[in-house]
Amino acid sequence: MNRSSKFLLLLLVLLPLGLFAWGGVRLAAHERERVRANIQQLLTNQLAEIDRSITGQFDAFAADLQQLTAIDEYDANRLRDIARNDARVFQIFVINPDDALIYPSPLGPVTAVERDFLLKASDLINDRQIQRSQRTTRDANRDTNDKVSHQKLNKQQEGPKQTGTQNSGDWFVWYWGPGINLIYWQKRPNGHIVGVAVDRSRWIADVIAKLPDTPVPVIDSKSTLSRHQIVESGREVIYKWGAYSPATRELPAAEYRLAAPLSAWQLQTYVPLNLMTAGQSGTFNLMAGLVLSGLALMGLAFAIDRQYGHELREAARRVSFVNQVSHELRTPLTNIRMYAELLEHDFETLEPAASHSRSRLNVILSESQRLTRLIGNVLTFARQEKQTLQVCRNQVVVDDIIQNVVDSFRPSLEQKQIAVELDLQSPHPVSLDADILEQILGNLISNVEKYAADGNWMKIRSAQSERDVTISVTDHGPGIEPAHCNQVFEPFWRASNDLSQSAGTGIGLTIAQYLARLHGGDVHLNSSTAQTEFTVTLGTVATAGETK
């Protein structure tokens, strides 16, 4: 098998394999993204469930504080008792309609706890931050996380009857010390603001109490290796739980921002990378598919290679057989021609009454010459296929070679009444391969004899220059259609498959053109309905690779 055939077989294997690999990689990548998105959504849903639990706790806490701050009498001792009796309360405060802090009063006697509160909360009270604060809604935060609407904290509480319009409370977040602090406040019908600063350690402990004691399952009941944590402002870890230890710069697999008043906090989940790709068999299936497809394609390529090699060997044996037969035929045929020519010479001494015997002898000579040309074409074509032909140049006269070839055809041309007109203008010796020129002329004249005998005329012209020789063979035959002018030089091509017409091997013009190009020239066809002209050009200057 030649190199181009092996390359095509390699393409047959690699191209489908490459396309399959590309499609498989794309499919596997898509599958990984889909599985990752599904797992991330599962983790996010689990974090949202934790947030709902914490939100429920703060809703209940807010309801308690709503009742606790429903106070319209502001006796300092009574307010201190309320704070002492509720561990969740750090400090109660009251602001009058004139925005002045009346409890704990900065001007009156205060306890240590009240003094601590005044130091912490003086800025937000003096700057009227609580008074200007907007009501915190859970709707905006829910829309950021999972688009689930939550009602504002505006519930009617059961308890002592209140006069005037329904009062409502809300959370206020303020930053002091280690992180966020919470205040619950409400504005009373009398215009006073009653608020409660919640003990930070207590409400954080209540939040932690709502968190799961064990890691939340990620994929199934066996896949519990994970890490969950609450972080404030994306940096400080408030609390974490779970057995997994993420790397230093590892990104969380899922994040969820808590609802107000803890919107500065985020829930994060870390899981091992292999769990994020759990259940994905795409890579294994892809590799298995590639291996199987590669084996199948290589098996197919091996079968084609073996079959192709077998056919090539068979073809080589047939060509070898034809060559051997052609060589074997050439030897007895040469003897037949030789003795026929000797017999022709003997007939020259006979009486004219023996003319009929001479005509029969001419037939023998003509047919032996035709058979010689046929065998020569077969051998040349076989050598051409093997690329073993070479040009062997000698100093020859082109016109003499043309005259000799025409003379060898003259008996058969006269029999078919084909007049030959010669216009020979190449009398000077040139460097040519005489055998190549004879074979080209023999094939062109043989075509006139077989296909253009009805024209009863043939003209051969020659001309020479410093670098080439030009020979044209013209006839008045039926001509060749313009669409077939290039096809006539293809091997085994015939204009008609009708067996009743003149038969030929279909390689004469192919060999003529090949030999002319091998000799540094070419063969061109100019055909019309009136005549057909073949023009042969042969280079008279040796080229690289020729035998001198």
Side-chain angles (χ1 to χ4, degrees), residues 377 381 384 439-448 450-451 480 484-493 505-517 522-525 532 534-536:
N377 281 339
F381 186 76
Q384 169 200 342
Q439 192 167 4
I440 292 174
L441 286 174
N443 287 337
L444 294 179
I445 296 173
S446 177
N447 273 0
V448 175
K450 288 185 289 187
Y451 302 113
I480 299 173
H484 297 157
C485 285
N486 291 327
Q487 291 178 285
V488 296
F489 295 105
E490 296 177 2
F492 311 114
W493 184 87
T505 59
I507 60 175
L509 291 177
T510 303
I511 292 173
Q513 187 181 61
Y514 175 79
L515 291 176
R517 290 177 176 177
D522 206 345
V523 177
H524 297 283
L525 168 62
T532 299
F534 285 93
T535 302
V536 181

mmCIF file of all heavy atoms in Angstrom, residues 377 381 384 439-448 450-451 480 484-493 505-517 522-525 532 534-536:
data_model
loop_
_atom_site.group_PDB
_atom_site.id
_atom_site.type_symbol
_atom_site.label_atom_id
_atom_site.label_comp_id
_atom_site.label_asym_id
_atom_site.label_seq_id
_atom_site.Cartn_x
_atom_site.Cartn_y
_atom_site.Cartn_z
ATOM 1 N N ASN A 377 2.782 -0.955 -26.903
ATOM 2 C CA ASN A 377 1.951 -0.069 -26.072
ATOM 3 C C ASN A 377 1.664 -0.695 -24.704
ATOM 4 O O ASN A 377 1.677 -0.019 -23.675
ATOM 5 C CB ASN A 377 0.645 0.247 -26.785
ATOM 6 C CG ASN A 377 0.807 1.306 -27.857
ATOM 7 O OD1 ASN A 377 1.770 2.075 -27.831
ATOM 8 N ND2 ASN A 377 -0.102 1.339 -28.810
ATOM 9 N N PHE A 381 2.855 0.984 -21.334
ATOM 10 C CA PHE A 381 1.861 1.374 -20.322
ATOM 11 C C PHE A 381 2.218 0.753 -18.962
ATOM 12 O O PHE A 381 2.112 1.405 -17.925
ATOM 13 C CB PHE A 381 0.472 0.915 -20.765
ATOM 14 C CG PHE A 381 -0.635 1.394 -19.863
ATOM 15 C CD1 PHE A 381 -1.074 2.710 -19.912
ATOM 16 C CD2 PHE A 381 -1.221 0.535 -18.948
ATOM 17 C CE1 PHE A 381 -2.094 3.151 -19.084
ATOM 18 C CE2 PHE A 381 -2.238 0.967 -18.113
ATOM 19 C CZ PHE A 381 -2.685 2.286 -18.183
ATOM 20 N N GLN A 384 5.108 2.586 -17.594
ATOM 21 C CA GLN A 384 4.656 3.906 -17.147
ATOM 22 C C GLN A 384 4.034 3.815 -15.758
ATOM 23 O O GLN A 384 4.277 4.661 -14.889
ATOM 24 C CB GLN A 384 3.638 4.472 -18.140
ATOM 25 C CG GLN A 384 2.917 5.712 -17.634
ATOM 26 C CD GLN A 384 1.618 5.958 -18.371
ATOM 27 O OE1 GLN A 384 1.396 5.428 -19.446
ATOM 28 N NE2 GLN A 384 0.752 6.752 -17.766
ATOM 29 N N GLN A 439 7.101 5.529 -31.480
ATOM 30 C CA GLN A 439 5.896 5.016 -30.829
ATOM 31 C C GLN A 439 4.780 6.059 -30.836
ATOM 32 O O GLN A 439 3.609 5.724 -31.050
ATOM 33 C CB GLN A 439 6.218 4.592 -29.398
ATOM 34 C CG GLN A 439 5.091 3.787 -28.751
ATOM 35 C CD GLN A 439 5.545 3.108 -27.469
ATOM 36 O OE1 GLN A 439 6.663 3.293 -27.020
ATOM 37 N NE2 GLN A 439 4.674 2.296 -26.911
ATOM 38 N N ILE A 440 5.116 7.326 -30.626
ATOM 39 C CA ILE A 440 4.095 8.381 -30.656
ATOM 40 C C ILE A 440 3.487 8.477 -32.047
ATOM 41 O O ILE A 440 2.254 8.496 -32.212
ATOM 42 C CB ILE A 440 4.715 9.737 -30.238
ATOM 43 C CG1 ILE A 440 5.114 9.715 -28.756
ATOM 44 C CG2 ILE A 440 3.719 10.872 -30.497
ATOM 45 C CD1 ILE A 440 5.857 10.959 -28.312
ATOM 46 N N LEU A 441 4.337 8.536 -33.088
ATOM 47 C CA LEU A 441 3.823 8.620 -34.474
ATOM 48 C C LEU A 441 3.012 7.380 -34.835
ATOM 49 O O LEU A 441 1.963 7.476 -35.497
ATOM 50 C CB LEU A 441 4.995 8.786 -35.447
ATOM 51 C CG LEU A 441 5.656 10.172 -35.470
ATOM 52 C CD1 LEU A 441 6.893 10.141 -36.360
ATOM 53 C CD2 LEU A 441 4.666 11.217 -35.964
ATOM 54 N N GLY A 442 3.498 6.223 -34.419
ATOM 55 C CA GLY A 442 2.760 4.993 -34.715
ATOM 56 C C GLY A 442 1.366 5.022 -34.113
ATOM 57 O O GLY A 442 0.390 4.614 -34.767
ATOM 58 N N ASN A 443 1.227 5.493 -32.895
ATOM 59 C CA ASN A 443 -0.104 5.551 -32.270
ATOM 60 C C ASN A 443 -1.011 6.562 -32.964
ATOM 61 O O ASN A 443 -2.217 6.317 -33.150
ATOM 62 C CB ASN A 443 0.036 5.904 -30.787
ATOM 63 C CG ASN A 443 0.574 4.741 -29.979
ATOM 64 O OD1 ASN A 443 0.457 3.581 -30.382
ATOM 65 N ND2 ASN A 443 1.190 5.032 -28.837
ATOM 66 N N LEU A 444 -0.465 7.727 -33.356
ATOM 67 C CA LEU A 444 -1.295 8.747 -34.014
ATOM 68 C C LEU A 444 -1.739 8.282 -35.407
ATOM 69 O O LEU A 444 -2.900 8.454 -35.794
ATOM 70 C CB LEU A 444 -0.513 10.063 -34.112
ATOM 71 C CG LEU A 444 -0.180 10.750 -32.770
ATOM 72 C CD1 LEU A 444 0.601 12.025 -33.012
ATOM 73 C CD2 LEU A 444 -1.449 11.049 -31.985
ATOM 74 N N ILE A 445 -0.808 7.697 -36.193
ATOM 75 C CA ILE A 445 -1.176 7.218 -37.528
ATOM 76 C C ILE A 445 -2.148 6.047 -37.422
ATOM 77 O O ILE A 445 -3.074 5.900 -38.231
ATOM 78 C CB ILE A 445 0.090 6.841 -38.322
ATOM 79 C CG1 ILE A 445 0.963 8.080 -38.547
ATOM 80 C CG2 ILE A 445 -0.267 6.192 -39.652
ATOM 81 C CD1 ILE A 445 2.306 7.782 -39.184
ATOM 82 N N SER A 446 -1.939 5.177 -36.409
ATOM 83 C CA SER A 446 -2.842 4.049 -36.215
ATOM 84 C C SER A 446 -4.258 4.534 -35.922
ATOM 85 O O SER A 446 -5.237 3.925 -36.376
ATOM 86 C CB SER A 446 -2.329 3.172 -35.077
ATOM 87 O OG SER A 446 -3.217 2.114 -34.807
ATOM 88 N N ASN A 447 -4.403 5.644 -35.186
ATOM 89 C CA ASN A 447 -5.724 6.205 -34.923
ATOM 90 C C ASN A 447 -6.385 6.679 -36.219
ATOM 91 O O ASN A 447 -7.588 6.498 -36.410
ATOM 92 C CB ASN A 447 -5.624 7.374 -33.940
ATOM 93 C CG ASN A 447 -5.688 6.906 -32.497
ATOM 94 O OD1 ASN A 447 -5.814 5.715 -32.238
ATOM 95 N ND2 ASN A 447 -5.584 7.842 -31.561
ATOM 96 N N VAL A 448 -5.599 7.305 -37.107
ATOM 97 C CA VAL A 448 -6.154 7.739 -38.397
ATOM 98 C C VAL A 448 -6.623 6.525 -39.185
ATOM 99 O O VAL A 448 -7.701 6.533 -39.794
ATOM 100 C CB VAL A 448 -5.100 8.540 -39.193
ATOM 101 C CG1 VAL A 448 -5.635 8.880 -40.591
ATOM 102 C CG2 VAL A 448 -4.708 9.800 -38.438
ATOM 103 N N LYS A 450 -7.650 3.667 -38.068
ATOM 104 C CA LYS A 450 -8.817 3.000 -37.478
ATOM 105 C C LYS A 450 -10.074 3.860 -37.489
ATOM 106 O O LYS A 450 -11.174 3.360 -37.718
ATOM 107 C CB LYS A 450 -8.497 2.579 -36.041
ATOM 108 C CG LYS A 450 -7.538 1.405 -35.943
ATOM 109 C CD LYS A 450 -7.358 0.962 -34.506
ATOM 110 C CE LYS A 450 -6.570 1.982 -33.709
ATOM 111 N NZ LYS A 450 -6.255 1.476 -32.347
ATOM 112 N N TYR A 451 -9.927 5.176 -37.220
ATOM 113 C CA TYR A 451 -11.108 5.997 -36.985
ATOM 114 C C TYR A 451 -11.365 7.062 -38.050
ATOM 115 O O TYR A 451 -12.454 7.637 -38.077
ATOM 116 C CB TYR A 451 -10.963 6.717 -35.626
ATOM 117 C CG TYR A 451 -10.769 5.774 -34.477
ATOM 118 C CD1 TYR A 451 -9.554 5.743 -33.772
ATOM 119 C CD2 TYR A 451 -11.779 4.911 -34.085
ATOM 120 C CE1 TYR A 451 -9.363 4.873 -32.716
ATOM 121 C CE2 TYR A 451 -11.600 4.036 -33.024
ATOM 122 C CZ TYR A 451 -10.380 4.025 -32.339
ATOM 123 O OH TYR A 451 -10.206 3.169 -31.300
ATOM 124 N N ILE A 480 -13.747 14.968 -33.311
ATOM 125 C CA ILE A 480 -14.027 14.620 -31.902
ATOM 126 C C ILE A 480 -14.791 15.774 -31.274
ATOM 127 O O ILE A 480 -14.429 16.942 -31.446
ATOM 128 C CB ILE A 480 -12.720 14.362 -31.125
ATOM 129 C CG1 ILE A 480 -11.956 13.196 -31.752
ATOM 130 C CG2 ILE A 480 -13.008 14.077 -29.651
ATOM 131 C CD1 ILE A 480 -10.576 12.983 -31.165
ATOM 132 N N HIS A 484 -15.169 16.064 -25.459
ATOM 133 C CA HIS A 484 -14.360 14.858 -25.263
ATOM 134 C C HIS A 484 -12.884 15.093 -25.538
ATOM 135 O O HIS A 484 -12.102 14.135 -25.483
ATOM 136 C CB HIS A 484 -14.862 13.740 -26.180
ATOM 137 C CG HIS A 484 -16.267 13.312 -25.867
ATOM 138 N ND1 HIS A 484 -17.080 12.688 -26.798
ATOM 139 C CD2 HIS A 484 -17.005 13.423 -24.736
ATOM 140 C CE1 HIS A 484 -18.253 12.433 -26.270
ATOM 141 N NE2 HIS A 484 -18.231 12.877 -25.011
ATOM 142 N N CYS A 485 -12.497 16.335 -25.823
ATOM 143 C CA CYS A 485 -11.104 16.603 -26.223
ATOM 144 C C CYS A 485 -10.100 16.267 -25.127
ATOM 145 O O CYS A 485 -8.968 15.875 -25.427
ATOM 146 C CB CYS A 485 -10.960 18.067 -26.636
ATOM 147 S SG CYS A 485 -11.670 18.402 -28.281
ATOM 148 N N ASN A 486 -10.492 16.445 -23.880
ATOM 149 C CA ASN A 486 -9.579 16.091 -22.781
ATOM 150 C C ASN A 486 -9.683 14.624 -22.392
ATOM 151 O O ASN A 486 -8.722 14.038 -21.895
ATOM 152 C CB ASN A 486 -9.864 16.963 -21.563
ATOM 153 C CG ASN A 486 -9.467 18.417 -21.792
ATOM 154 O OD1 ASN A 486 -8.503 18.688 -22.500
ATOM 155 N ND2 ASN A 486 -10.222 19.339 -21.215
ATOM 156 N N GLN A 487 -10.854 14.028 -22.647
ATOM 157 C CA GLN A 487 -11.053 12.640 -22.239
ATOM 158 C C GLN A 487 -10.306 11.649 -23.116
ATOM 159 O O GLN A 487 -10.027 10.532 -22.679
ATOM 160 C CB GLN A 487 -12.550 12.294 -22.258
ATOM 161 C CG GLN A 487 -13.355 13.016 -21.170
ATOM 162 C CD GLN A 487 -14.833 12.678 -21.250
ATOM 163 O OE1 GLN A 487 -15.540 13.157 -22.129
ATOM 164 N NE2 GLN A 487 -15.288 11.835 -20.343
ATOM 165 N N VAL A 488 -10.004 12.041 -24.357
ATOM 166 C CA VAL A 488 -9.351 11.085 -25.266
ATOM 167 C C VAL A 488 -7.983 10.666 -24.738
ATOM 168 O O VAL A 488 -7.457 9.620 -25.131
ATOM 169 C CB VAL A 488 -9.222 11.688 -26.685
ATOM 170 C CG1 VAL A 488 -10.582 11.927 -27.294
ATOM 171 C CG2 VAL A 488 -8.383 12.971 -26.652
ATOM 172 N N PHE A 489 -7.382 11.481 -23.861
ATOM 173 C CA PHE A 489 -6.065 11.142 -23.314
ATOM 174 C C PHE A 489 -6.154 10.312 -22.035
ATOM 175 O O PHE A 489 -5.113 9.942 -21.486
ATOM 176 C CB PHE A 489 -5.277 12.425 -23.032
ATOM 177 C CG PHE A 489 -4.950 13.211 -24.276
ATOM 178 C CD1 PHE A 489 -5.644 14.370 -24.580
ATOM 179 C CD2 PHE A 489 -3.963 12.776 -25.150
ATOM 180 C CE1 PHE A 489 -5.336 15.105 -25.718
ATOM 181 C CE2 PHE A 489 -3.651 13.507 -26.301
ATOM 182 C CZ PHE A 489 -4.355 14.671 -26.599
ATOM 183 N N GLU A 490 -7.369 10.036 -21.573
ATOM 184 C CA GLU A 490 -7.525 9.196 -20.392
ATOM 185 C C GLU A 490 -7.411 7.726 -20.785
ATOM 186 O O GLU A 490 -7.894 7.327 -21.853
ATOM 187 C CB GLU A 490 -8.883 9.441 -19.735
ATOM 188 C CG GLU A 490 -9.045 10.858 -19.191
ATOM 189 C CD GLU A 490 -10.425 11.074 -18.606
ATOM 190 O OE1 GLU A 490 -11.223 10.106 -18.594
ATOM 191 O OE2 GLU A 490 -10.720 12.207 -18.172
ATOM 192 N N PRO A 491 -6.764 6.916 -19.949
ATOM 193 C CA PRO A 491 -6.593 5.503 -20.323
ATOM 194 C C PRO A 491 -7.927 4.770 -20.394
ATOM 195 O O PRO A 491 -8.822 4.997 -19.571
ATOM 196 C CB PRO A 491 -5.697 4.941 -19.208
ATOM 197 C CG PRO A 491 -5.868 5.884 -18.061
ATOM 198 C CD PRO A 491 -6.134 7.232 -18.652
ATOM 199 N N PHE A 492 -8.060 3.938 -21.416
ATOM 200 C CA PHE A 492 -9.204 3.042 -21.623
ATOM 201 C C PHE A 492 -10.496 3.784 -21.960
ATOM 202 O O PHE A 492 -11.574 3.195 -21.933
ATOM 203 C CB PHE A 492 -9.444 2.140 -20.398
ATOM 204 C CG PHE A 492 -8.209 1.462 -19.892
ATOM 205 C CD1 PHE A 492 -7.698 1.769 -18.645
ATOM 206 C CD2 PHE A 492 -7.538 0.541 -20.680
ATOM 207 C CE1 PHE A 492 -6.550 1.166 -18.168
ATOM 208 C CE2 PHE A 492 -6.391 -0.079 -20.218
ATOM 209 C CZ PHE A 492 -5.886 0.236 -18.967
ATOM 210 N N TRP A 493 -10.408 5.087 -22.269
ATOM 211 C CA TRP A 493 -11.627 5.827 -22.633
ATOM 212 C C TRP A 493 -11.940 5.627 -24.097
ATOM 213 O O TRP A 493 -11.053 5.651 -24.954
ATOM 214 C CB TRP A 493 -11.451 7.319 -22.351
ATOM 215 C CG TRP A 493 -12.715 8.113 -22.624
ATOM 216 C CD1 TRP A 493 -13.734 8.337 -21.768
ATOM 217 C CD2 TRP A 493 -13.061 8.757 -23.858
ATOM 218 N NE1 TRP A 493 -14.713 9.083 -22.373
ATOM 219 C CE2 TRP A 493 -14.325 9.356 -23.667
ATOM 220 C CE3 TRP A 493 -12.445 8.875 -25.104
ATOM 221 C CZ2 TRP A 493 -14.986 10.067 -24.665
ATOM 222 C CZ3 TRP A 493 -13.091 9.573 -26.117
ATOM 223 C CH2 TRP A 493 -14.349 10.171 -25.885
ATOM 224 N N THR A 505 -7.292 -0.552 -27.863
ATOM 225 C CA THR A 505 -7.029 -0.813 -26.447
ATOM 226 C C THR A 505 -7.401 0.370 -25.568
ATOM 227 O O THR A 505 -7.595 0.213 -24.365
ATOM 228 C CB THR A 505 -5.540 -1.126 -26.242
ATOM 229 O OG1 THR A 505 -4.757 -0.013 -26.696
ATOM 230 C CG2 THR A 505 -5.152 -2.373 -27.018
ATOM 231 N N GLY A 506 -7.443 1.581 -26.140
ATOM 232 C CA GLY A 506 -7.783 2.758 -25.348
ATOM 233 C C GLY A 506 -6.601 3.351 -24.612
ATOM 234 O O GLY A 506 -6.800 4.198 -23.735
ATOM 235 N N ILE A 507 -5.376 2.942 -24.966
ATOM 236 C CA ILE A 507 -4.210 3.479 -24.267
ATOM 237 C C ILE A 507 -3.230 4.151 -25.219
ATOM 238 O O ILE A 507 -2.207 4.672 -24.778
ATOM 239 C CB ILE A 507 -3.470 2.385 -23.470
ATOM 240 C CG1 ILE A 507 -2.981 1.279 -24.401
ATOM 241 C CG2 ILE A 507 -4.360 1.841 -22.367
ATOM 242 C CD1 ILE A 507 -2.130 0.225 -23.699
ATOM 243 N N GLY A 508 -3.532 4.172 -26.531
ATOM 244 C CA GLY A 508 -2.586 4.720 -27.510
ATOM 245 C C GLY A 508 -2.318 6.202 -27.278
ATOM 246 O O GLY A 508 -1.158 6.637 -27.210
ATOM 247 N N LEU A 509 -3.383 7.014 -27.178
ATOM 248 C CA LEU A 509 -3.200 8.456 -26.966
ATOM 249 C C LEU A 509 -2.663 8.743 -25.567
ATOM 250 O O LEU A 509 -1.917 9.709 -25.376
ATOM 251 C CB LEU A 509 -4.530 9.186 -27.186
ATOM 252 C CG LEU A 509 -5.036 9.206 -28.632
ATOM 253 C CD1 LEU A 509 -6.386 9.896 -28.716
ATOM 254 C CD2 LEU A 509 -4.029 9.917 -29.535
ATOM 255 N N THR A 510 -3.047 7.931 -24.574
ATOM 256 C CA THR A 510 -2.512 8.108 -23.220
ATOM 257 C C THR A 510 -1.004 7.952 -23.224
ATOM 258 O O THR A 510 -0.263 8.756 -22.635
ATOM 259 C CB THR A 510 -3.139 7.072 -22.270
ATOM 260 O OG1 THR A 510 -4.556 7.194 -22.301
ATOM 261 C CG2 THR A 510 -2.648 7.276 -20.851
ATOM 262 N N ILE A 511 -0.525 6.902 -23.939
ATOM 263 C CA ILE A 511 0.920 6.648 -24.008
ATOM 264 C C ILE A 511 1.613 7.751 -24.800
ATOM 265 O O ILE A 511 2.695 8.219 -24.432
ATOM 266 C CB ILE A 511 1.179 5.264 -24.627
ATOM 267 C CG1 ILE A 511 0.702 4.181 -23.666
ATOM 268 C CG2 ILE A 511 2.647 5.092 -24.968
ATOM 269 C CD1 ILE A 511 0.745 2.792 -24.236
ATOM 270 N N ALA A 512 0.977 8.212 -25.883
ATOM 271 C CA ALA A 512 1.581 9.268 -26.699
ATOM 272 C C ALA A 512 1.785 10.541 -25.872
ATOM 273 O O ALA A 512 2.862 11.163 -25.927
ATOM 274 C CB ALA A 512 0.703 9.550 -27.909
ATOM 275 N N GLN A 513 0.763 10.935 -25.126
ATOM 276 C CA GLN A 513 0.894 12.149 -24.310
ATOM 277 C C GLN A 513 1.918 11.970 -23.193
ATOM 278 O O GLN A 513 2.721 12.862 -22.918
ATOM 279 C CB GLN A 513 -0.471 12.526 -23.720
ATOM 280 C CG GLN A 513 -0.463 13.868 -23.008
ATOM 281 C CD GLN A 513 -1.806 14.208 -22.413
ATOM 282 O OE1 GLN A 513 -2.310 13.488 -21.548
ATOM 283 N NE2 GLN A 513 -2.409 15.308 -22.869
ATOM 284 N N TYR A 514 1.909 10.787 -22.554
ATOM 285 C CA TYR A 514 2.870 10.544 -21.476
ATOM 286 C C TYR A 514 4.308 10.581 -21.987
ATOM 287 O O TYR A 514 5.193 11.185 -21.377
ATOM 288 C CB TYR A 514 2.568 9.208 -20.815
ATOM 289 C CG TYR A 514 3.586 8.832 -19.763
ATOM 290 C CD1 TYR A 514 3.551 9.390 -18.491
ATOM 291 C CD2 TYR A 514 4.604 7.922 -20.060
ATOM 292 C CE1 TYR A 514 4.499 9.063 -17.536
ATOM 293 C CE2 TYR A 514 5.556 7.577 -19.103
ATOM 294 C CZ TYR A 514 5.493 8.151 -17.848
ATOM 295 O OH TYR A 514 6.443 7.830 -16.906
ATOM 296 N N LEU A 515 4.545 9.928 -23.148
ATOM 297 C CA LEU A 515 5.901 9.900 -23.696
ATOM 298 C C LEU A 515 6.352 11.298 -24.110
ATOM 299 O O LEU A 515 7.516 11.662 -23.921
ATOM 300 C CB LEU A 515 5.958 8.943 -24.888
ATOM 301 C CG LEU A 515 5.798 7.449 -24.556
ATOM 302 C CD1 LEU A 515 5.769 6.618 -25.845
ATOM 303 C CD2 LEU A 515 6.925 6.973 -23.643
ATOM 304 N N ALA A 516 5.420 12.094 -24.655
ATOM 305 C CA ALA A 516 5.785 13.450 -25.065
ATOM 306 C C ALA A 516 6.154 14.296 -23.850
ATOM 307 O O ALA A 516 7.126 15.063 -23.883
ATOM 308 C CB ALA A 516 4.627 14.081 -25.833
ATOM 309 N N ARG A 517 5.385 14.186 -22.774
ATOM 310 C CA ARG A 517 5.696 14.949 -21.558
ATOM 311 C C ARG A 517 6.988 14.460 -20.921
ATOM 312 O O ARG A 517 7.748 15.262 -20.362
ATOM 313 C CB ARG A 517 4.532 14.840 -20.575
ATOM 314 C CG ARG A 517 3.286 15.595 -21.047
ATOM 315 C CD ARG A 517 2.111 15.414 -20.101
ATOM 316 N NE ARG A 517 0.971 16.227 -20.524
ATOM 317 C CZ ARG A 517 -0.216 16.216 -19.916
ATOM 318 N NH1 ARG A 517 -0.411 15.432 -18.858
ATOM 319 N NH2 ARG A 517 -1.185 16.991 -20.343
ATOM 320 N N ASP A 522 4.612 17.830 -25.150
ATOM 321 C CA ASP A 522 3.222 17.499 -24.864
ATOM 322 C C ASP A 522 2.524 17.158 -26.176
ATOM 323 O O ASP A 522 3.078 17.333 -27.264
ATOM 324 C CB ASP A 522 2.516 18.679 -24.183
ATOM 325 C CG ASP A 522 1.342 18.223 -23.313
ATOM 326 O OD1 ASP A 522 0.914 17.052 -23.469
ATOM 327 O OD2 ASP A 522 0.865 19.013 -22.490
ATOM 328 N N VAL A 523 1.261 16.664 -26.051
ATOM 329 C CA VAL A 523 0.405 16.393 -27.202
ATOM 330 C C VAL A 523 -0.883 17.172 -27.006
ATOM 331 O O VAL A 523 -1.510 17.092 -25.944
ATOM 332 C CB VAL A 523 0.096 14.887 -27.349
ATOM 333 C CG1 VAL A 523 -0.863 14.663 -28.521
ATOM 334 C CG2 VAL A 523 1.376 14.098 -27.550
ATOM 335 N N HIS A 524 -1.279 17.940 -28.055
ATOM 336 C CA HIS A 524 -2.495 18.745 -27.984
ATOM 337 C C HIS A 524 -3.428 18.336 -29.114
ATOM 338 O O HIS A 524 -2.967 17.915 -30.191
ATOM 339 C CB HIS A 524 -2.187 20.235 -28.084
ATOM 340 C CG HIS A 524 -1.334 20.733 -26.948
ATOM 341 N ND1 HIS A 524 -1.824 20.966 -25.692
ATOM 342 C CD2 HIS A 524 -0.001 21.034 -26.914
ATOM 343 C CE1 HIS A 524 -0.850 21.394 -24.907
ATOM 344 N NE2 HIS A 524 0.274 21.435 -25.623
ATOM 345 N N LEU A 525 -4.724 18.479 -28.863
ATOM 346 C CA LEU A 525 -5.741 18.105 -29.844
ATOM 347 C C LEU A 525 -6.519 19.346 -30.252
ATOM 348 O O LEU A 525 -6.961 20.131 -29.404
ATOM 349 C CB LEU A 525 -6.697 17.067 -29.242
ATOM 350 C CG LEU A 525 -7.990 16.785 -30.027
ATOM 351 C CD1 LEU A 525 -7.670 16.223 -31.411
ATOM 352 C CD2 LEU A 525 -8.884 15.829 -29.250
ATOM 353 N N THR A 532 -9.424 16.679 -37.777
ATOM 354 C CA THR A 532 -8.830 16.474 -36.447
ATOM 355 C C THR A 532 -7.331 16.620 -36.577
ATOM 356 O O THR A 532 -6.717 16.026 -37.497
ATOM 357 C CB THR A 532 -9.180 15.082 -35.900
ATOM 358 O OG1 THR A 532 -10.593 14.960 -35.771
ATOM 359 C CG2 THR A 532 -8.529 14.869 -34.543
ATOM 360 N N PHE A 534 -3.690 16.480 -34.305
ATOM 361 C CA PHE A 534 -2.889 16.246 -33.104
ATOM 362 C C PHE A 534 -1.529 16.889 -33.326
ATOM 363 O O PHE A 534 -0.861 16.609 -34.349
ATOM 364 C CB PHE A 534 -2.701 14.753 -32.839
ATOM 365 C CG PHE A 534 -3.937 14.082 -32.291
ATOM 366 C CD1 PHE A 534 -4.845 13.479 -33.134
ATOM 367 C CD2 PHE A 534 -4.167 14.075 -30.923
ATOM 368 C CE1 PHE A 534 -5.970 12.866 -32.636
ATOM 369 C CE2 PHE A 534 -5.297 13.457 -30.416
ATOM 370 C CZ PHE A 534 -6.207 12.853 -31.268
ATOM 371 N N THR A 535 -1.112 17.720 -32.351
ATOM 372 C CA THR A 535 0.180 18.392 -32.448
ATOM 373 C C THR A 535 1.088 17.881 -31.336
ATOM 374 O O THR A 535 0.735 17.945 -30.151
ATOM 375 C CB THR A 535 0.019 19.924 -32.324
ATOM 376 O OG1 THR A 535 -0.860 20.382 -33.356
ATOM 377 C CG2 THR A 535 1.370 20.616 -32.456
ATOM 378 N N VAL A 536 2.269 17.377 -31.755
ATOM 379 C CA VAL A 536 3.238 16.811 -30.809
ATOM 380 C C VAL A 536 4.430 17.755 -30.705
ATOM 381 O O VAL A 536 4.968 18.187 -31.732
ATOM 382 C CB VAL A 536 3.710 15.420 -31.265
ATOM 383 C CG1 VAL A 536 4.700 14.839 -30.259
ATOM 384 C CG2 VAL A 536 2.525 14.501 -31.477
#
